[in-house]
Amino acid sequence: MGSGTRISVKVHRRVNLIVAEDAVLAQELLSRRRLADQVLGRLTDRMLLIRPGRIAAVVEELQAMGHAPRVVGTSHNETFDHSL
Amino acid sequence: MTKPDSDFSSVLADALARYAPTLRKRVVENLLRDRSKLTPKQCLDRVASAFENVPLIDRRIRQLAPEALALLTLLHVGRRWRWPLPHVLELACIAGSNNSLDLILSLCEGGLLFVETKNDQQGIERFENWVPKALRSDTDFVLLPPRVGERAVGISPSLGRVAESEPEGNLQVFPEADGLELPLRLAVLWQKTRFDPPRIKMYGGLFKKDHQRFEEDPLLNGPGPADLTDFPSGWKWYLVWGMATGLIKYDADDSVLQVARLPEVLLHDLATVLEKLWSCGYEVESLVNDSYLNPAPLELLWPMSAGIGLLTALAQIEAEKWCSLDDLSAWLVCRHPRWKPKQTESDDEAASSIPSSLSDWLRAFLLGFAFPMRLIEAAQDAGQMWFVRLTALGRGVLGLGPLPSLPQYPQTLLVQPNLEIIAYRQGLRPELIGQLSRFCEWKSLGAACTLQLTPESVYRGLETGLTHDEILRVLQQHAVRELPAAVVQALKTWADKRERVTVYAAATLLEFASADDLQAALARGLPAVVLTDRLALVEREDDLDYRHFRLMATRDYGLPPDQCVSVSDDGVTLSVDMARADLLLETELQRFAEPVPATSSLISETRRRDEHNRRVYRLTPDSLRKAREEGLTAQMIDDWFRRRTGGETPAAVKLLLNGHAESPLRVCPLLVLQTPNPQVADGLMQWPESRRLIQERLGPKSLAVEQADLPALLDLLRSVGITTEADTGG
């Protein structure tokens, strides 16, 4: 690809994610029932896709588990809910 | 002034732009004494440069009447340049004017005050026409150019001398306060509100739980070391200050009080913080009068204009001399519109009958507010009479003198191995209070304050943007001795823990068509974290240089999911439009469907050619059984079909999904009785004699009959004259 060619890309905005330090920790998070309920899927071995609008609940649950999650950015629209 | 002058320049330019041309021309001529023709742009430039010309401003000010000079001084002492007109009218009255409005308008005509309006589309033709609106509006203001206030103070205007009674016997002088009481309480309030934002009831006031929590909090309600009077402070008082300074905001959407991300108002030196707090006095006054916080007992402290007048009057007294509260009451009663007597009464008569409301207000304001703010010193004589005078810091904060250099004690924290911190108050300053509030929890306030480091407090500090190194540096800089190893280790452990899990509340993901494209983007400096061979995460979308990219599609996850799946006629093959699909879709589909390889015969030639844009999935008995085992219900799948395809769940999927729950199917031989037309079939179904011999109606002209019932049915038909013939094939 030439340096002047524009690269085709699809942009996903306002995605809610958990990124764990390693795969074992991600698995540990998934084994927590109340957290797993908020997870839509596992994007990679250490990356979990969260249901939109559930950031506050996820952070609260992580803290209840004894973690101190770094929260990056704020969600401007937390009202919509994916039910699956 | 608290606000930088650069802010004022732009506000002044906007304000002048709303003057009608004739008015603007007149004001500029009066200020500059220059009758040359100027364009609007030249007017603005000349006025802005006039306020840099000190001799010019001095000349104009020296030509003013004493009460005009006094008004400019009072406005300057208020430490703000934007004033609501009613407050300026009060100050003009204190300045000694018999016609406050004329005084203000003459200063506006002379270009030493300006008016700001937001709503007047026509432009201001005459200041007199603007006044009625300004008295009602909360978007119209009088503007004091900072330079004018500074120069007016330098010319020493007279507000009328305050009598100087001698004290009885020796004065007992109370130690000067440190000015930290309000900053400390605001820091505590910021923490408590941040940890658990209180909710506001529909008709005002805090919810009972939050009200009780604040009411019982010793840090927000306990007496301060510098209390000289039973001033009605407490949490409501500090809450009002928190809101006035922008530390706390009312979120009307959620009916909750939210804190600013940082305790910004505290992160400065003492003089700047005190000046900022003092300048917010009018906001406090309006909040105290506002009903939704229900801070009724606090109205004792105001009006603020009286406070400004009082401290300005004190500044006229020699620095070393004391002034009694009685003398100040006598001075104020003749000047402030709230207490000023009727015109028939002479000043001497008025001074001899001080209303109790004024005495109460004076005592509360001076001893309960100005003294702990370190604006004044206080003393009592042998007859228990109170005397006050301005502190050097007070003169500096009010803009009436130079700021004194205050002693600094940078090493003021004793950090103990049990993670408790003792902060010796004489070394504290607002900036340190603000920094500590971000990562320590206040436990007690007093001559020595205590704070506690906890995992939660450190975590919250990191959430405000502090790093582990910055926390460590604050403690090391201010600790009286080396930090205990246990504290250093605990901070490291807690900070590391935070790095283990990151939650992205609104990340931007870039999905590339191929791994090569992603690598090419990285080579061009894409500031992203690689997640997979085709996906990358960008923390700040503003950092993206879109000139390198061609957007194929954009998905916003804050919006409802797109309908990007179509269902084939077979009901179990799903085709995904990848341009409209989101990341959630694949994870959703993987829970109940299987991807179909592009080479599969299930994919049509047309779709195969469109491979980049479409992906095919198929629902199978196995995939649906797995979905059921993972807890997916028929209702959830039905919702998914409605959201993603816009239609109902196909019958084939329902069959695969619910087939196991249906009653067993029955297999049996049946004969079909065909009628020549539907009317005969209707008759057989309706006539009770024949109906009992028919199993069910299969169609308009077809009826099912059991082999055993056939002879009886044939007999019955013959009895009514209907003949039958048997199908030879049967």
Side-chain angles (χ1 to χ4, degrees):
Chain A
M1 179 175 295
S3 60
T5 319
R6 297 171 83 189
I7 304 167
S8 298
V9 70
K10 183 173 169 186
V11 180
H12 301 268
R13 288 200 174 95
R14 290 200 279 172
V15 183
N16 298 350
L17 281 177
I18 298 178
V19 180
E21 188 182 44
D22 50 47
V24 177
L25 179 57
Q27 191 56 47
E28 182 191 323
L29 301 183
L30 277 175
S31 62
R32 177 86 163 192
R33 176 70 191 273
R34 274 192 288 185
L35 196 58
D37 285 348
Q38 314 296 353
V39 174
L40 275 173
R42 198 165 176 172
L43 213 57
T44 69
D45 59 348
R46 58 190 196 90
M47 193 161 300
L48 310 175
L49 205 54
I50 309 170
R51 293 161 70 168
R54 301 302 176 92
I55 287 292
V58 164
V59 172
E60 201 173 299
E61 194 56 33
L62 285 168
Q63 287 171 344
M65 289 172 77
H67 293 289
R70 188 164 73 95
V71 182
V72 181
T74 52
S75 182
H76 300 292
N77 182 356
E78 291 219 333
T79 54
F80 183 74
D81 181 22
H82 288 243
S83 56
L84 189 69
Chain B
M1 297 267 170
T2 304
K3 299 253 182 179
D5 289 0
S6 57
D7 281 3
F8 180 78
S9 301
S10 62
V11 171
L12 179 61
D14 286 347
L16 271 177
R18 287 180 186 267
Y19 282 23
T22 49
L23 180 64
R24 185 166 53 231
K25 180 170 178 289
R26 196 165 69 237
V27 167
V28 173
E29 278 178 9
N30 289 340
L31 178 65
L32 304 175
R33 300 283 195 270
D34 182 351
R35 295 188 177 278
S36 46
K37 284 190 174 177
L38 299 172
T39 63
K41 171 77 170 68
Q42 284 171 325
C43 277
L44 298 179
D45 293 343
R46 293 288 298 276
V47 169
S49 61
F51 292 121
E52 299 303 316
N53 185 346
V54 172
L56 173 85
I57 299 300
D58 281 356
R59 274 202 304 278
R60 298 289 169 270
I61 289 175
R62 283 181 199 285
Q63 291 161 350
L64 294 174
E67 58 269 25
L69 199 53
L71 172 60
L72 295 177
T73 303
L74 289 167
L75 291 169
H76 174 74
V77 170
R79 313 306 284 149
R80 55 193 292 145
W81 44 255
R82 182 181 267 140
W83 290 84
L85 179 60
H87 295 157
V88 185
L89 286 166
E90 281 182 2
L91 289 176
C93 192
I94 295 172
S97 170
N98 289 324
N99 192 333
S100 300
L101 190 57
D102 281 355
L103 175 63
I104 296 164
L105 298 188
S106 69
L107 286 168
C108 291
E109 287 282 350
L112 294 174
L113 291 179
F114 294 84
V115 304
E116 183 186 32
T117 184
K118 298 282 182 218
N119 303 324
D120 205 333
Q121 299 300 324
Q122 305 295 320
I124 302 169
E125 297 277 352
R126 298 180 62 210
F127 292 119
E128 288 84 348
N129 298 346
W130 166 80
V131 170
K133 187 162 70 76
L135 288 172
R136 299 187 306 269
S137 158
D138 53 4
T139 55
D140 287 58
F141 299 97
V142 175
L143 302 176
L144 168 73
R147 180 77 70 199
V148 172
E150 283 165 26
R151 300 313 299 171
V153 167
I155 294 172
S156 305
S158 174
L159 281 168
R161 297 291 297 178
V162 181
E164 294 173 30
S165 305
E166 288 299 319
E168 277 181 43
N170 288 335
L171 280 175
Q172 183 205 346
V173 180
F174 290 88
E176 188 174 318
D178 57 14
L180 294 176
E181 199 57 35
L182 190 50
L184 274 169
R185 306 285 184 144
L186 286 177
V188 171
L189 179 73
W190 179 77
Q191 264 190 358
K192 307 251 173 210
T193 308
R194 185 173 169 230
F195 296 168
D196 189 1
R199 289 178 302 152
I200 300 285
K201 289 188 287 191
M202 187 183 291
Y203 299 107
L206 266 57
F207 267 57
K208 188 178 174 186
K209 177 177 76 77
D210 295 315
H211 187 279
Q212 197 171 352
R213 173 165 64 98
F214 279 177
E215 193 76 39
E216 291 171 357
D217 193 304
L219 299 188
L220 289 175
N221 298 288
D227 281 0
L228 296 181
T229 180
D230 51 352
F231 170 67
S233 57
W235 67 271
K236 285 185 177 178
W237 176 235
Y238 302 119
L239 182 57
V240 167
W241 276 100
M243 298 191 72
T245 54
L247 201 63
I248 293 172
K249 289 190 173 65
Y250 175 48
D251 179 348
D253 291 340
D254 293 336
S255 295
V256 74
L257 295 179
Q258 299 281 13
V259 291
R261 185 169 155 268
L262 295 178
E264 188 62 48
V265 66
L266 302 177
L267 299 177
H268 304 281
D269 62 80
L270 180 62
T272 308
V273 169
L274 293 180
E275 185 188 321
K276 169 74 180 162
L277 292 172
W278 171 250
S279 73
C280 289
Y282 275 112
E283 279 78 15
V284 172
E285 184 176 337
S286 61
L287 281 164
V288 164
N289 293 323
D290 198 331
S291 60
Y292 81 88
L293 285 174
N294 293 335
L298 304 175
E299 64 193 18
L300 183 61
L301 255 198
W302 310 103
M304 182 70 187
S305 55
I308 292 173
L310 211 54
L311 295 188
T312 312
L314 267 180
Q316 296 182 118
I317 299 169
E318 287 168 49
E320 297 303 314
K321 283 208 164 184
W322 294 89
C323 184
S324 76
L325 264 58
D326 283 355
D327 290 338
L328 286 169
S329 301
W331 178 87
L332 191 60
V333 75
C334 306
R335 283 165 181 80
H336 196 279
R338 178 182 283 196
W339 298 291
K340 200 173 180 178
K342 293 173 199 154
Q343 288 192 341
T344 50
E345 243 176 281
S346 71
D347 281 4
D348 288 343
E349 284 169 340
S352 61
S353 58
I354 306 292
S356 62
S357 65
L358 171 56
S359 304
D360 292 345
W361 173 85
L362 197 86
R363 197 180 154 93
F365 176 79
L366 289 173
L367 304 181
F369 174 67
F371 178 75
M373 280 279 281
R374 206 175 174 175
L375 299 176
I376 60 164
E377 289 177 273
Q380 263 185 317
D381 70 0
Q384 301 297 303
M385 172 71 79
W386 283 101
F387 285 77
V388 295
R389 65 183 179 192
L390 280 183
T391 61
L393 180 65
R395 282 177 193 271
V397 166
L398 299 173
L400 296 166
L403 281 170
S405 63
L406 302 171
Q408 302 281 332
Y409 307 101
Q411 275 72 44
T412 194
L413 303 180
L414 181 61
V415 184
Q416 304 184 101
N418 65 355
L419 301 162
E420 190 178 77
I421 298 172
I422 297 173
Y424 296 109
R425 192 148 162 161
Q426 64 267 35
L428 273 181
R429 48 198 172 76
E431 195 174 5
L432 181 57
I433 292 171
Q435 285 173 332
L436 291 172
S437 303
R438 292 170 70 180
F439 63 89
C440 305
E441 202 175 319
W442 292 96
K443 304 300 281 186
S444 71
L445 301 180
C449 306
T450 54
L451 302 102
Q452 186 76 45
L453 281 166
T454 66
E456 292 76 24
S457 70
V458 172
Y459 169 59
R460 287 182 172 125
L462 296 169
E463 283 296 289
T464 65
L466 282 174
T467 63
H468 163 258
D469 290 350
E470 285 169 336
I471 291 176
L472 208 56
R473 195 158 51 241
V474 169
L475 293 177
Q476 282 167 340
Q477 272 178 357
H478 297 285
V480 292
R481 53 175 182 248
E482 201 176 332
L483 294 184
V487 172
V488 175
Q489 184 56 46
L491 287 174
K492 170 116 182 56
T493 306
W494 296 335
D496 286 350
K497 199 171 176 183
R498 183 166 169 272
E499 299 302 318
R500 295 197 72 206
V501 183
T502 305
V503 175
Y504 290 93
T508 299
L509 299 188
L510 300 184
E511 185 181 350
F512 293 88
S514 68
D516 289 346
D517 279 1
L518 172 53
Q519 291 306 319
L522 291 172
R524 291 187 198 179
L526 172 69
V529 180
V530 176
L531 303 181
T532 68
D533 60 340
R534 292 195 305 115
L535 267 182
L537 183 148
V538 183
E539 283 196 12
R540 286 164 44 90
E541 197 182 337
D542 294 346
D543 296 341
L544 270 180
D545 185 352
Y546 274 108
R547 286 174 304 173
H548 294 302
F549 303 107
R550 186 158 61 93
L551 287 187
M552 303 302 291
T554 305
R555 279 290 298 126
D556 186 338
Y557 289 69
L559 303 175
D562 214 356
Q563 289 175 5
C564 51
V565 181
S566 54
V567 186
S568 302
D569 291 344
D570 64 12
V572 290
T573 306
L574 306 178
S575 174
V576 179
D577 179 351
M578 294 308 290
R580 293 164 63 200
D582 52 52
L583 292 168
L584 310 178
L585 183 69
E586 287 213 37
T587 58
E588 289 167 5
L589 276 168
Q590 282 166 11
R591 296 184 71 180
F592 59 86
E594 294 169 355
V596 178
T599 51
S600 168
S601 59
L602 289 165
I603 299 179
S604 70
E605 191 55 38
T606 318
R607 284 196 170 165
R608 200 170 293 140
R609 280 200 296 273
D610 198 20
E611 184 189 349
H612 277 308
N613 294 330
R614 300 201 82 85
R615 196 162 294 172
V616 177
Y617 285 80
R618 191 171 169 82
L619 289 94
T620 66
D622 278 349
S623 69
L624 286 167
R625 188 177 55 247
K626 201 174 116 215
R628 276 199 307 272
E629 287 166 2
E630 285 183 2
L632 243 62
T633 63
Q635 181 63 46
M636 289 160 88
I637 291 180
D638 196 44
D639 288 345
W640 185 91
F641 269 95
R642 284 176 200 280
R643 263 200 339 263
R644 294 299 199 171
T645 70
E648 290 189 358
T649 310
V653 176
K654 283 184 181 167
L655 174 74
L656 297 180
L657 204 57
N658 300 325
H660 68 287
E662 298 290 345
S663 309
L665 303 187
R666 186 166 160 247
V667 181
C668 63
L670 284 174
L671 297 173
V672 178
L673 175 68
Q674 289 194 317
T675 60
N677 55 53
Q679 287 75 21
V680 176
D682 289 345
L684 291 172
M685 286 299 289
Q686 197 171 22
W687 187 29
E689 294 299 316
S690 56
R691 177 68 189 87
R692 64 185 175 83
L693 300 171
I694 298 169
Q695 289 303 308
E696 64 181 304
R697 187 164 185 168
L698 300 176
K701 299 189 291 180
S702 304
L703 306 171
V705 181
E706 277 203 20
Q707 181 78 46
D709 293 333
L710 186 61
L713 181 62
L714 293 178
D715 287 347
L716 190 65
L717 292 174
R718 268 196 296 276
S719 70
V720 294
I722 298 174
T723 56
T724 55
E725 57 187 35
D727 186 336
T728 52

